[in-house]
Amino acid sequence: MIVDVAGVLFRWESRRDDWYFVPLPEEVSADIRDVPRPGRGFGSVPVQVTIGASTCRTSIFPDASRGVYVLPLKRSVREREGISDGDTVHARLDVFDG
């Protein structure tokens, strides 16, 4: 499944580090949830993501408070693409089935 998404980058503060995520749209999250796949840690789903000129593999995670999957963005990608907290991020996701 390949999808184009857009969402506003938000910061999640933990005890040690800050993490940055892009929430996926509700409809896309529902479509991803509907595909049966083997269970993985924290309900993660492996993806390949392209943002601008950056492509990498990572996983998306369900966010119970938002009711959608969220895409973590590494610092290296944020810096390379000039993305900051509160920016709208456009991404292409290749969601792996297994």
Side-chain angles (χ1 to χ4, degrees):
M1 169 188 309
I2 297 176
V3 294
D4 292 315
V5 298
V8 176
L9 184 71
F10 70 92
R11 182 178 67 170
W12 179 75
E13 298 176 33
S14 71
R15 291 182 192 168
R16 293 184 177 174
D17 296 311
D18 290 344
W19 295 80
Y20 291 84
F21 297 93
V22 176
L24 303 187
E26 289 179 14
E27 184 177 316
V28 171
S29 293
D31 290 345
I32 293 169
R33 239 186 323 273
D34 287 345
V35 175
R37 52 180 55 87
R40 290 177 43 117
F42 301 105
S44 66
V45 176
V47 298
Q48 179 170 292
V49 60
T50 300
I51 298 171
S54 302
T55 298
C56 62
R57 286 189 174 214
T58 187
S59 293
I60 55 175
F61 299 89
D63 181 338
S65 66
R66 296 174 190 271
V68 298
Y69 281 93
V70 293
L71 168 69
L73 280 192
K74 297 177 185 179
R75 176 184 295 163
S76 61
V77 173
R78 294 191 322 267
E79 289 176 354
R80 188 176 318 121
E81 299 300 329
I83 299 169
S84 301
D85 188 18
D87 288 349
T88 297
V89 176
H90 298 270
R92 172 164 281 193
L93 295 179
D94 186 353
V95 183
F96 301 117
D97 291 336

